[in-house]
Amino acid sequence: MSPFAIGYFGALIGASSLAAWSGRREALVGAFLLLVVSAFAGIVWGGAALRWITLVVALGAAAVGLAYSFRAFLAAVLPRDAARAIRSAPLTASFGLLTILAYIVTAVFAPAIAPFGESQIVGGAFAPPDDRMLLGGDQLGRDLFSRIVYGARNTVGIAFVTTVLTFLLGGALGLLAATVGGWVDQLLSRLVDVLMAIPQLIFALLLLTIFGTEVVTLILVIAVLDSTRVYRLSRAVAVNIVVMDYIEAAKLRGETLWWLITREILPNATAPLIAEFGLRFCFVFLTIAGLSFLGLGIQPPTADWGSMVRDNAQLISFGEVTPLIPAAAIALLTVAVNFVVDWMLQRSSGLKD
Amino acid sequence: MSVWSLLAKRLGLGILTLFAVSLLIFGAVEALPGDIAQQVLGQTATPDALAALRREMGLDRPAVLRYVDWLVGAAQGEFGVSMANRRPVADMIGPRLLNTLFLASVAAAIAVPLSIGLGVMAALWRGTTFDRTANVATLTSISSPEFFLGYILILFLAVQNPVFPSISNINPTMSFGDRLYRTMLPALTLTLVVTAHMMRMTRAAIINLLASPYIEMARLKGMPPAIVILRHALPNALAPIINVVAINLAYLITGVVLVEVVFVYPGVGQLLVDSVSRRDFPVVQACCLIFAATYVLLNLSADVLAILSNPRLRRPKT
Amino acid sequence: MARNQHPLLEIRDLRIEGYADEKWFEIVHGVDLTLHRGEVLGLIGESGAGKSTIGLAAMGYTRDGCRISGGTITFDGIELTSTPEEVRRSLRGARIAYVAQSAAASFNPAHRLIDQHTEAPVQHGARSRRESAEDAVALYRRLRLPNPDEIGFRYPHQVSGGQLQRCMTAMAMSCRPDLIIFDEPTTALDVTTQIEVLAAIRDIVEQFGTAAIYITHDLAVVAQMADRIKVLLKGREVEEAETRVMLDAPREEYTRSLWAVRSFARAQNQPPAPSETPVVSVRGVTAAYGATTVLRDVSFDMHQGRTVAVVGESGSGKSTAARVITGLLPPVSGGVMLDGAPLPGDFRRRTREQLRQVQMIYQMADTALNPRQRIGEIIGRPVEFYLGLRGVKRKQRVDELLDQIELDPSKYYERYPAELSGGQKQRIGIARALAAEPKFIICDEVTSALDQLVAEGILKLLDRLQRELGLAYMFITHDLATVRAIADEVVVMKDGQVVEAGPKDQMFEPPHHPYTDLLLSSVPEMDPDWLTRLLQARGVENIGEAASARMDGG
């Protein structure tokens, strides 16, 4: 048994005992389960597995610590109402907020953060990591780290623009259908039914075959296809608001459609729509990443996470982790947004009871 | 309204949707700038060559007639000829469709029981550590792109610990066991994605159900927890759970395309992606129609089963 | 009543907490309760008084998100808060039973009624399945359910609400419990159905000598059912007394205020001159939702400075009549006249001036005011929209209106509806209608969602405004006490038709149409002997659904 393994199991046994002694039930269960899993993994896969587990646990602990201190920080600096909301937020939500903030900073200051240009060739193809190239080179010898930083700008930026378009289109039509009702509602809803009867990725592939894979085409295709879901949601939300007596009162007063939608309905629909914006962003982001991974999304030489995974995938068969980093970057942002949305949804449903 | 008229209505709607979908898929290609012949031959083609190709592909006939021909052919399993290699599209798709169905079935066979079990457990043990861990884990899994999960599985289960092959090169001559073995990694990837969705939805459905006044009434009649669940919750849980399963099986369709590419699995998804890059329109149309039809049918069967399992509809008022 | 023996249920200093906003809040603050065998205790209070929570706690049960944080609950010598869950479970259904407000939601849709009935006796070992099924039929007969031999074999959705509520009472009786908790059992029912259920419950409770806790917000109902009444307010006891004592001489100010509404009555106005043009006239209106006709040849007039009360049960078409007048539902035939001139059927084709003259006040003030607009904006918008006032002039007019509804402009102008009480919200609804300076206002059940005292304030305000501004009111209501208080004329509706119409003083004097008679006699009065007298006068077979059915038949 290596000294590492001895230290590893010693620390776990110590942690379990400490948890048991201080009566922390959840910590005890967690530590002991980890002990059992580690023993099993250690026997089957040897010391490497233990190092992986240590890495994962350490990362998890770091994330928890970061989230915890960020929540305390926000509660300290924000105005009173917001601080109260933040203090009762779960750690996952504060982790999500912090992560989203980090992505925004990276995207905005990409040229300052990245040591090299987006498509600047720095070394040899698949050059190993060194002092100059933090994560090594890609298949053309460009700096992988710089490209990941620029990817934040491109991938996230394109997904964000697409989501905004999706919302403008789907939200406007959904609110209109709910408010006007009648044949407008019927027509739009049946159209959306048909569009939604084709799986989205498949439909996107069909349309991209026809219209080509320019970035603008990509944004428009995804925005139109995804707006069907926003339409459904905003219509459903608005239908519940439209039956309210204050809408009837406004209608009977003789208010215009524009007034009804913008002054009476929209202010009451913001909470679910913001949550939906988060979820839609995740979905659009994953769809674009998926298309880019298939080589049909964002085209080279633009740095983009989906296509970076595809281009460097062969390294994985040599046990390299670097191609997974852009994929992890995608996952991390989606997780973060989902965490925040989850919290918001729980808050708004909790207020109803 | 009686069950039968409701069912008939839903079936009629399903057929109508299928027609609309086929029209959309056919029409989308018609909307191509220029036409297919122009696309194939490029801008520099001579008018003679264009005319010849158009005649060969039947493009000189009206669109309505071509649509009817295409639809009638599709109904009989004929999808025309590939533009890339002049082989009948049906021959290209046939064996791959079986492979894709095999992959999806394996994934579903693992995911459905697993996620319903976990979902019911999370609902019953709401607020416990198990529930909260499951919440974070499923959110993470949902948030990860399919290719990320796929490559992680490859890294751990194929490269670092060679348990399963990283490339799922199956062919019809293999034994069932061998096929299953080679399909395992893509199937596991799909399972990870779908289980997360399905489990969350099952949990929500069960929690919603347990909040019903009749469940409280059963408790207030002094029924033990096991009977409350088995006799009062379960018969009513069928409809929502069936719905959850159908929705997620439909979701598998999207997942299958990406996963097949990651594992170089010889299925319809892979063919679709290749054909899109080659702009092989007849093949793309055929693949889209097959995926869309499966999707429509799954959603249709969910609705039908939901109607059939609703006690209020099954037993009319008088 | 034997008061010397030890009580069946004794609750001491009961405290219950609810979980909201990540914190535990006390919602019941130390309530005592004593109940002897065979006794019926009425628990009354407004919503949020903690009635249902206390009722469930008497079974040792709390809903999710609630917990008992202090005090004792002793049922027949067993302390429920400290006893194991198994013991509590063996009591529930067997010795303490529960009747819920919504029978339709509380029966499992997947099982037959009789299977749900026999479940508890079999589980608790009280009776065999067959015995219990036979007993169920006997109970159904006793509760005067139609087809008692057959009704148990139906599924819940195949049985009407009033019948389902009686089936649930039968189910509660299945083990012959010592105590039944009735949690607002008739609140969701129409008045004519309610009386049938009340009679059945009282009869069966008396027959088996079962003790009961009867929870309701309706004083007249509890007066019929309870031996003693306990009044609750925000989780605290206000007072408790014998029913007759409580009705005759309430001690506390709050209790007196609950009784007070009955004191407001306005003199009936002189009938209008025959030559006077009605402000609004409904002429032979037939209206339909799709293929279903909901109004048949409905006609009535409303004059300046007078109130027409339109009464009827749910589904009678009284709200539909309002929708036709406002133009939300264009009629199939017939029409509405405003000052003798025809109004277009669809509100979208009416002029701004026509829209201004017909205003509406809604039942639920919560849904009638946009929660995202400040009070100043809610009232200011019609001022600006109809009268074209802006800036300072608009503000002045809104202040005047707020003064008219007796709310201080400086305090309320900037507030959101959520920061107002129910009665204040309803006043804002009135101010919004007044802001248009109309001739005619439709009041749709404007007091039924409010507590009695607040409701009285609203009625007084509406009366004062009518006298000052000469408004015509159409008052839609199902509450005859309100009708007595403010109406000049009454229109009785049933199944989309006007059954009877005339001046108020004639309507409350016989003879009249049999349906009016049934409706009037079904409304509970504050007299504890009312139900007894009514049953003697009409006979048990001539009330509720049975009576309506006979009327429809011939």
Side-chain angles (χ1 to χ4, degrees):
Chain A
M1 231 182 183
S2 70
F4 172 74
I6 294 170
Y8 179 90
F9 283 108
L12 264 186
I13 293 168
S16 310
S17 315
L18 196 67
W21 179 72
S22 61
R24 290 176 187 267
R25 190 168 155 272
E26 295 189 352
L28 170 66
V29 171
F32 201 80
L33 276 181
L34 194 61
L35 189 65
V36 173
V37 170
S38 309
F40 178 77
I43 291 164
V44 178
W45 293 299
L50 294 189
R51 281 172 212 276
W52 275 108
I53 294 177
T54 317
L55 186 70
V56 169
V57 170
L59 278 177
V64 169
L66 212 57
Y68 187 79
S69 41
F70 184 64
R71 184 173 68 182
F73 169 75
L74 280 183
V77 297
L78 285 177
R80 205 154 47 94
D81 281 358
R84 220 176 57 117
I86 279 288
R87 216 169 289 136
S88 65
L91 283 180
T92 47
S94 103
F95 175 75
L97 284 174
L98 182 64
T99 311
I100 294 171
L101 203 66
Y103 274 73
I104 294 174
V105 169
T106 312
V108 172
F109 298 106
I113 295 170
F116 299 101
E118 190 176 344
S119 43
Q120 185 184 348
I121 294 176
V122 185
F126 297 126
D130 56 28
D131 291 347
R132 232 159 45 98
M133 292 201 279
L134 215 55
L135 297 171
D138 70 356
Q139 85 280 13
L140 295 177
R142 296 169 295 195
D143 177 35
L144 205 58
F145 176 72
S146 303
R147 286 188 60 82
I148 288 176
V149 171
Y150 275 103
R153 188 173 257 201
N154 302 329
T155 314
V156 179
I158 288 173
F160 185 76
V161 170
T162 312
T163 315
V164 170
L165 263 183
T166 303
F167 253 75
L168 289 180
L169 187 65
L173 290 180
L175 292 178
L176 185 75
T179 317
V180 177
W183 65 267
V184 176
D185 184 21
Q186 282 297 320
L187 189 76
L188 284 171
S189 295
R190 294 296 82 76
L191 184 70
V192 163
D193 284 349
V194 172
L195 285 179
M196 284 181 80
I198 305 179
Q200 203 173 356
L201 186 74
I202 310 292
F203 206 174
L205 285 175
L206 175 69
L207 293 180
L208 291 174
T209 321
I210 294 162
F211 298 116
T213 47
E214 301 291 312
V215 170
V216 178
T217 322
L218 180 74
I219 290 177
L220 288 178
V221 164
I222 306 276
V224 168
L225 292 185
D226 220 35
S227 64
T228 54
R229 324 253 153 171
V230 181
Y231 170 86
R232 281 248 175 117
L233 181 102
S234 55
R235 182 181 170 279
V237 170
V239 158
N240 282 332
I241 298 172
V242 164
V243 296
M244 292 287 172
D245 291 333
Y246 59 84
I247 303 293
E248 188 182 304
K251 273 188 191 167
L252 288 178
R253 199 187 304 140
E255 298 285 7
T256 58
L257 189 63
W258 176 251
W259 173 280
L260 283 178
I261 291 179
T262 56
R263 298 298 193 89
E264 306 280 349
I265 297 174
L266 204 55
N268 289 290
T270 40
L273 285 183
I274 288 174
E276 176 69 6
F277 187 87
L279 291 179
R280 269 311 103 202
F281 172 78
C282 291
F283 202 89
V284 167
F285 188 52
L286 287 177
T287 308
I288 291 182
L291 285 171
S292 301
F293 171 75
L294 296 175
L296 302 163
I298 303 167
Q299 296 297 317
T302 311
D304 158 72
W305 292 339
S307 33
M308 282 165 80
V309 177
R310 165 198 172 86
D311 292 340
N312 300 305
Q314 36 181 310
L315 284 179
I316 293 174
S317 19
F318 305 107
E320 284 276 346
V321 200
T322 38
L324 288 181
I325 293 173
I330 295 168
L332 186 61
L333 179 59
T334 329
V335 172
V337 175
N338 264 322
F339 278 163
V340 176
V341 168
D342 206 39
W343 170 53
M344 283 168 55
L345 286 178
Q346 250 165 29
R347 253 177 75 80
S348 63
S349 72
L351 289 176
K352 249 185 282 164
D353 301 336
Chain B
M1 211 185 302
S2 87
V3 184
W4 298 116
S5 67
L6 253 175
L7 278 183
K9 210 176 145 194
R10 188 62 192 84
L11 280 171
L13 199 67
I15 292 169
L16 211 65
T17 312
L18 271 179
F19 267 110
V21 163
S22 69
L23 200 62
L24 208 60
I25 291 174
F26 185 83
V29 175
E30 289 298 308
L32 205 63
D35 64 4
I36 298 183
Q38 185 87 57
Q39 288 286 324
V40 173
L41 298 176
Q43 292 299 326
T44 54
T46 62
D48 284 350
L50 270 177
L53 186 64
R54 284 198 181 117
R55 218 173 10 260
E56 189 194 327
M57 298 179 74
L59 289 177
D60 47 352
R61 299 168 58 216
V64 182
L65 282 181
R66 279 183 288 122
Y67 169 68
V68 172
D69 279 356
W70 178 69
L71 200 62
V72 170
Q76 298 165 340
E78 292 297 326
F79 293 96
V81 179
S82 158
M83 284 162 54
N85 54 17
R86 304 279 156 168
R87 283 176 57 200
V89 176
D91 292 355
M92 296 168 71
I93 290 182
R96 283 169 172 267
L97 186 59
L98 288 178
N99 290 344
T100 297
L101 285 177
F102 182 71
L103 170 59
S105 315
V106 175
I110 307 172
V112 171
L114 183 72
S115 50
I116 290 178
L118 289 174
V120 170
M121 269 154 68
L124 292 181
W125 300 335
R126 190 161 27 134
T128 60
T129 314
F130 171 78
D131 182 31
R132 272 179 286 160
T133 315
N135 181 39
V136 172
T138 49
L139 259 186
T140 312
S141 172
I142 288 171
S143 309
S144 306
E146 287 87 347
F147 55 84
F148 182 47
L149 295 173
Y151 282 128
I152 285 187
L153 287 183
I154 289 184
L155 186 65
F156 283 102
L157 294 178
V159 178
Q160 297 206 336
N161 311 283
V163 184
F164 294 110
S166 68
I167 291 186
S168 311
N169 49 347
I170 61 168
N171 63 58
T173 57
M174 283 176 185
S175 72
F176 179 78
D178 205 19
R179 281 173 71 135
L180 195 62
Y181 171 68
R182 286 168 188 275
T183 309
M184 219 50 212
L185 274 191
L188 278 181
T189 312
L190 279 177
T191 303
L192 273 179
V193 180
V194 176
T195 301
H197 275 284
M198 219 188 298
M199 180 182 161
R200 288 176 79 85
M201 289 163 82
T202 307
R203 177 182 178 273
I206 299 289
I207 284 180
N208 192 19
L209 187 76
L210 290 180
S212 324
Y214 57 80
I215 297 292
E216 177 171 78
M217 193 68 207
R219 292 200 183 116
L220 289 174
K221 284 198 291 185
M223 296 295 130
I227 290 193
V228 172
I229 298 292
L230 291 177
R231 197 186 289 161
H232 290 276
L234 211 58
N236 296 294
L238 220 53
I241 288 181
I242 288 172
N243 197 26
V244 168
V245 170
I247 288 175
N248 284 287
L249 290 185
Y251 185 81
L252 267 180
I253 293 173
T254 309
V256 120
V257 175
L258 286 157
V259 169
E260 283 184 1
V261 171
V262 171
F263 292 93
V264 204
Y265 186 92
V268 186
Q270 174 90 311
L271 176 67
L272 173 61
V273 173
D274 290 346
S275 308
V276 169
S277 334
R278 285 199 298 257
R279 311 196 75 176
D280 192 347
F281 293 104
V283 181
V284 173
Q285 273 180 324
C287 292
C288 284
L289 191 65
I290 287 172
F291 277 125
T294 319
Y295 193 72
V296 170
L297 288 178
L298 275 170
N299 282 323
L300 178 65
S301 46
D303 285 358
V304 167
L305 287 171
I307 291 171
L308 287 179
S309 64
N310 184 337
R312 279 167 232 250
L313 291 174
R314 208 164 49 210
R315 304 188 192 87
K317 275 217 153 127
T318 43
Chain C
M1 209 161 292
R3 278 295 154 77
N4 43 5
Q5 76 188 71
H6 81 101
L8 179 66
L9 177 74
E10 195 162 26
I11 295 179
R12 287 287 164 268
D13 194 31
L14 177 67
R15 289 169 190 278
I16 298 174
E17 293 181 339
Y19 191 72
D21 230 1
E22 319 257 327
K23 271 200 214 82
W24 287 97
F25 291 98
E26 197 169 81
I27 47 177
V28 173
H29 316 277
V31 167
D32 295 337
L33 188 153
T34 308
L35 187 69
H36 293 268
R37 286 185 184 276
E39 193 183 22
V40 179
L41 175 73
L43 272 188
I44 65 165
E46 304 158 7
S47 55
K51 317 180 286 281
S52 295
T53 315
I54 295 172
L56 287 170
M59 306 182 75
Y61 181 90
T62 49
R63 293 206 164 119
D64 277 351
C66 283
R67 65 178 184 197
I68 296 174
S69 57
T72 57
I73 303 161
T74 314
F75 176 80
D76 202 17
I78 308 165
E79 212 287 285
L80 293 182
T81 58
S82 57
T83 196
E85 176 65 16
E86 288 72 41
V87 178
R88 283 198 291 256
R89 201 185 297 141
S90 69
L91 292 175
R92 286 180 202 143
R95 299 194 59 201
I96 316 175
Y98 182 75
V99 175
Q101 174 172 354
S102 167
S106 296
F107 273 113
N108 192 324
H111 300 296
R112 292 171 206 275
L113 294 174
I114 203 147
D115 293 333
Q116 303 191 46
H117 182 103
T118 58
E119 197 179 11
V122 172
Q123 176 69 31
H124 295 297
R127 279 162 218 259
S128 75
R129 220 187 124 68
R130 227 191 44 163
E131 281 168 2
S132 176
E134 281 165 8
D135 181 52
V137 174
L139 284 169
Y140 293 154
R141 185 164 286 129
R142 174 89 213 176
L143 288 160
R144 281 188 298 280
L145 280 159
N147 309 325
D149 296 309
E150 178 266 336
I151 195 165
F153 295 92
R154 297 202 206 159
Y155 286 86
H157 67 278
Q158 298 168 323
V159 177
S160 79
Q163 294 173 10
L164 217 47
Q165 201 68 41
R166 280 178 279 166
C167 289
M168 184 144 58
T169 306
M171 186 162 84
M173 275 293 170
S174 63
C175 293
R176 299 294 183 277
D178 299 311
L179 170 63
I180 302 186
I181 315 287
F182 290 98
D183 192 353
E184 307 245 15
T186 60
T187 306
L189 303 176
D190 271 327
V191 272
T192 53
T193 319
Q194 161 172 283
I195 185 167
E196 210 171 9
V197 176
L198 287 180
I201 289 177
R202 203 172 72 166
D203 173 64
I204 206 149
V205 167
E206 271 169 15
Q207 193 204 348
F208 296 111
T210 316
I213 294 180
Y214 196 98
I215 299 167
T216 180
H217 67 280
D218 190 331
L219 296 158
V221 165
V222 83
Q224 313 310 315
M225 310 302 287
D227 303 317
R228 276 187 304 138
I229 295 177
K230 185 194 279 292
V231 183
L232 294 170
L233 176 66
K234 293 181 180 137
R236 284 195 178 82
E237 177 179 325
V238 176
E239 67 175 305
E240 181 182 328
E242 298 282 331
T243 302
R244 278 165 208 282
V245 176
M246 179 75 93
L247 290 177
D248 294 341
R251 272 178 291 129
E252 297 294 323
E253 183 61 34
Y254 174 71
T255 320
R256 271 201 291 276
S257 77
L258 291 179
W259 271 233
V261 67
R262 311 288 155 167
S263 66
F264 175 72
R266 193 194 69 176
Q268 186 175 330
N269 285 325
Q270 287 300 311
S275 60
E276 193 185 320
T277 316
V279 176
V280 169
S281 172
V282 179
R283 301 267 176 91
V285 162
T286 298
Y289 289 117
T292 334
T293 305
V294 282
L295 285 183
R296 283 186 189 80
D297 194 23
V298 168
S299 302
F300 53 89
D301 293 342
M302 280 150 291
H303 290 86
Q304 190 194 352
R306 295 173 61 80
T307 301
V308 174
V310 180
V311 297
E313 297 182 277
S314 56
S316 63
K318 56 190 196 302
S319 293
T320 312
R323 288 176 68 81
V324 170
I325 295 172
T326 54
L328 285 167
L329 182 70
V332 176
S333 64
V336 181
M337 316 279 274
L338 178 70
D339 283 333
L343 273 176
D346 190 328
F347 75 93
R348 277 167 284 217
R349 303 217 320 276
R350 294 185 184 173
T351 65
R352 193 173 282 201
E353 180 61 18
Q354 285 168 332
L355 290 171
R356 184 177 73 81
Q357 295 295 3
V358 179
Q359 290 295 314
M360 182 131 180
I361 307 170
Y362 296 87
Q363 173 178 10
M364 305 298 293
D366 281 325
T367 63
L369 306 180
N370 190 333
R372 295 302 172 116
Q373 288 179 357
R374 293 176 195 277
I375 302 307
E377 170 67 14
I378 291 173
I379 305 176
R381 179 61 189 169
V383 169
E384 180 181 324
F385 188 81
Y386 289 125
L387 310 170
L389 300 181
R390 282 167 206 283
V392 185
K393 281 189 177 159
R394 177 179 131 157
K395 170 86 170 69
Q396 273 173 358
R397 178 66 187 136
V398 173
D399 286 354
E400 273 172 38
L401 286 162
L402 281 169
D403 278 331
Q404 252 176 342
I405 56 162
E406 295 150 18
L407 292 179
D408 181 359
S410 61
K411 262 166 71 184
Y412 292 96
Y413 191 84
E414 290 290 330
R415 289 203 191 175
Y416 284 102
E419 300 167 275
L420 268 54
S421 71
Q424 289 170 336
K425 281 183 215 164
Q426 197 57 286
R427 282 166 191 260
I428 301 298
I430 295 172
R432 177 174 61 189
L434 290 181
E437 301 183 8
K439 285 184 173 170
F440 171 67
I441 298 181
I442 299 172
C443 305
D444 188 358
E445 303 266 13
V446 286
T447 55
S448 60
L450 300 173
D451 297 323
Q452 314 256 13
L453 187 65
V454 181
E456 191 187 40
I458 297 288
L459 291 182
K460 280 180 179 160
L461 173 67
L462 285 171
D463 178 47
R464 201 195 79 215
L465 292 169
Q466 182 170 50
R467 276 184 280 113
E468 287 173 11
L469 305 169
L471 296 164
Y473 289 149
M474 171 177 165
F475 221 95
I476 299 171
T477 184
H478 67 274
D479 177 20
L480 292 181
T482 310
V483 175
R484 277 206 188 97
I486 55 118
D488 297 309
E489 277 155 67
V490 181
V491 173
V492 183
M493 291 190 70
K494 181 177 190 283
D495 299 333
Q497 281 170 308
V498 174
V499 174
E500 203 171 5
K504 173 175 70 172
D505 45 14
Q506 285 174 25
M507 295 302 289
F508 285 97
E509 300 295 330
H512 28 60
H513 187 276
Y515 177 73
T516 313
D517 190 51
L518 178 70
L519 190 65
L520 291 179
S521 62
S522 298
V523 178
E525 290 170 19
M526 293 292 269
D527 174 3
D529 299 320
W530 167 79
L531 183 59
T532 317
R533 275 208 318 272
L534 179 82
L535 291 177
Q536 278 166 2
R538 288 189 74 102
V540 287
E541 300 301 333
N542 198 19
I543 54 171
E545 283 170 10
S548 310
R550 193 170 315 158
M551 230 172 281
D552 292 338

